[in-house]
Amino acid sequence: MGENFLLQVRDLHTQFVTQSGVVKAVDGVNFEVKPGETLGIVGESGSGKSMTALSIMKLVPSPPGEIVKGEILYNGDDLIKKTEKQMRHIRGNKISMIFQDPMTSLNPVFTVGEQLTETLRTHRNVSKRQALEHATELLNLVGIPDPKARLKNYPHEFSGGMRQRVMIAMALACDPELLIADEPTTALDVTVQAQILELLKKLQKELGMAIIMITHDLGVVAEICDRVMVMYAGKQVEFTDRFRLFDVPKHPYTWGLLNSIPKMEKEKKRLKAISGHPPDLRHLRKGCPFAERCPKAKASCRIQAPHLQEVEPGHLVSCLLYEEEKVTLE
Amino acid sequence: MTPLLEVKGLKKHFPITKGAVIPRKVGAVKAVDGVSFQLEQGKTLGLVGESGCGKSTTGRTILKLIEPTEGQILFKGQDITSLKGNKLRRLRKDMQLIFQDPFASLNPRMTVEQIIAEPMKVFGINKAARRKKIDQLLDVVGLSGYHKNRYPHEFSGGQRQRVGIARALALDPDLIICDEPVSALDVSIQAQVINLMEDLQKEFGLTYLFIAHDLGVVHHISDQIAVMYLGEIVEYGHYHELYEHPKHPYTQALLSAIPEANPHLQKERIVLKGDVPSPAHPPAGCKFHTRCPLAQERCRLEKPIMKTVSPTGQQAACHFVKEVGHGDRFVVPK
């Protein structure tokens, strides 16, 4: 291995067995996270971005879900082979996660202090008093005023933005090397979203952790991510750095996403929407899953599935447009 | 020309009561606190603001789904504030609502046909006419005839929103109040629904009051934009002028907070401290002074009034913006 990766995901397949068929929620995803970087995963609902994250944490509800194939190498160790007991040492300690809705992910019957110290007491051999002191520091770190008094408050006594700060404090309790943020700002107002994004940037600089940022908002991606993976129907369609993604997007789906965002220009142009809607994952057809909605689709797209390949240095795309081009060039 | 809708000093205060047996009023949540605007036929007014700023309550009060506490609502020149019963019902025909959540706003036990037919049934349109209209409507919103007998759960979010739009159009309304109609949808679907709403506006000459928190979407669809904060409009103006030259510090902060899909852009961001204060105890003076980066002593004491700040009629309520001409209420520039 030339480069040092914190996390490597190789050919990950996560499936759900339902009464009406097998749903391939994550279908052959490959990526790696370097220490200290921010990787963005973008896609629409049902594209498999959250399932990818849950697979890394091994939190896929099972049954009906199951990781059927692949490797998740964390510092070279395959997490898929770990037992539940071993995973518990990793979750919340080495890898932590924050969720979209801070109200449902905090327990309403315990105070914030109790919930914060729980993480510390589980993973670190500390006394109750030490844990409380550390919890106060954490709340201070995430910018909650009067942290000592706030520890005694219950989640409902916090506003949405403050709750998300508490969630972040909890996730940071054990200095994780990797933070997985699943739509952390989607439920928040823009001004509060700006606060949380600034906070995440600041914390990353101070603590040096890597972040996997799952979002559907390309604005958030442009703001915070170093590299971006675009997902569609469980597959990875494009993977590159953020500048290339916005400057020279390659996949027709990425074009569609970028065109769908209203531009704030004086002359209003009609939005170029992607026609149709995402496919039903239970009844995926042969070929490229995006072919149905793709403006560039050819007959071969409905027969042959594209493969992810590097079309330019550091720019991976899964689309037949480029595969055939490559063939003719050669 | 009389505007289609005129709202003057609209207020809605929800009482806070104490005591289970004999409730007594101990305070009020000032959800809407003196909102005025005019909306012309065929135009779109965008209403933006953070959650809890009263934008939805404003929409619902205009429809008289909620009784206003104070103020006047003029629809087609007629004062509808105190209308009741039959008269109100007849008027409702001309005003419709599109909801945010296409999952909760459609009855899961009704087929699409029944859902769209219901408003027409209420207004006594006969079966044959209803049938014809339903086919027409489905076609207009981009659904097919065979969708008629399906139930809401068989549709995707975008399609459900189309059903909601078809229902709103069933009675040929003049005004449609759109309460966050696209915020529950994915970007690619959101663009489809926005395009559809624009097409419908052109085709039927609809007037929209477009309530949303997504500033990009509001900019795209609106002619005029009003920015709300704690139940009041703090700035109002032409969509692009307001975005290019925001005058009120709140609008400036709001706009600077949008993450834009351009990684090269290094924005000077105004990060507001804290959260929106509770509308039950709004700050005295200028309501924004607790979070405003420019706040001075005067802001704590004196409430700013709306003043015209540009020749095109942009208005802002802030002590620190320069006035152009004068006027204390909105004038929609022609």
Side-chain angles (χ1 to χ4, degrees), chain A residues 45 189 191 195 268 274, chain B residues 50-51 186 192 222 269 272:
Chain A
S45 22
D189 280 314
T191 56
Q195 292 172 359
K268 289 183 189 173
I274 307 176
Chain B
E50 294 178 274
S51 29
D186 277 316
Q192 291 174 8
S222 307
R269 172 163 290 166
L272 290 179

Side-chain angles (χ1 to χ4, degrees), chain B residues 51-268:
Chain B
S51 29
C53 73
K55 48 192 198 304
S56 291
T57 310
T58 306
R60 276 155 205 248
T61 315
I62 291 169
L63 286 172
K64 302 241 338 193
L65 290 173
I66 305 172
E67 206 57 41
T69 310
E70 225 183 284
Q72 247 188 337
I73 306 159
L74 299 168
F75 185 66
K76 294 178 178 169
Q78 184 195 357
D79 189 347
I80 63 164
T81 326
S82 49
L83 276 192
K84 283 198 171 68
N86 247 336
K87 276 188 186 156
L88 179 64
R89 200 166 305 135
R90 241 175 286 142
L91 186 101
R92 285 243 173 90
K93 205 175 126 200
D94 297 333
M95 315 165 112
Q96 291 291 330
L97 184 61
I98 301 174
F99 298 91
Q100 169 175 6
D101 189 349
F103 293 78
S105 58
L106 303 176
N107 188 335
R109 290 160 196 253
M110 285 164 93
T111 62
V112 164
E113 185 172 16
Q114 289 168 328
I115 288 170
I116 303 175
E118 203 181 17
M120 294 190 268
K121 249 183 182 166
V122 171
F123 282 93
I125 294 168
N126 69 41
K127 208 168 182 179
R130 285 206 301 260
R131 281 249 167 88
K132 214 177 127 198
K133 186 82 189 178
I134 289 167
D135 287 335
Q136 247 177 25
L137 286 168
L138 285 175
D139 187 50
V140 185
V141 298
L143 294 171
S144 313
Y146 63 83
H147 286 131
K148 263 197 297 201
N149 299 317
R150 297 203 180 164
Y151 289 90
H153 75 266
E154 297 173 75
F155 291 95
S156 66
Q159 286 173 316
R160 268 183 249 218
Q161 202 55 296
R162 286 169 195 268
V163 174
I165 293 173
R167 176 177 61 185
L169 291 176
L171 294 167
D172 300 314
D174 297 305
L175 174 69
I176 299 186
I177 293 181
C178 318
D179 193 356
E180 304 260 14
V182 295
S183 36
L185 307 174
D186 277 316
V187 242
S188 74
I189 306 298
Q190 180 176 306
Q192 291 174 8
V193 174
I194 291 171
N195 282 343
L196 172 69
M197 291 183 63
E198 285 183 329
D199 293 343
L200 295 172
Q201 181 165 39
K202 264 184 226 137
E203 200 175 331
F204 302 109
L206 297 170
T207 309
Y208 291 141
L209 179 64
F210 196 94
I211 300 165
H213 67 271
D214 185 326
L215 296 143
V217 171
V218 171
H219 178 274
H220 183 83
I221 203 158
S222 307
D223 297 298
Q224 303 288 324
I225 294 172
V227 182
M228 280 187 78
Y229 189 76
L230 276 179
E232 284 169 9
I233 293 180
V234 294
E235 187 159 4
Y236 173 90
H238 175 262
Y239 71 93
H240 198 65
E241 204 189 342
L242 190 122
Y243 273 47
E244 283 293 291
H245 310 288
K247 295 287 196 300
H248 197 284
Y250 179 62
T251 317
Q252 287 168 0
L254 204 59
L255 289 170
S256 81
I258 317 171
E260 266 183 69
N262 180 356
H264 300 288
L265 214 66
Q266 287 295 329
K267 276 215 278 196
E268 194 62 43

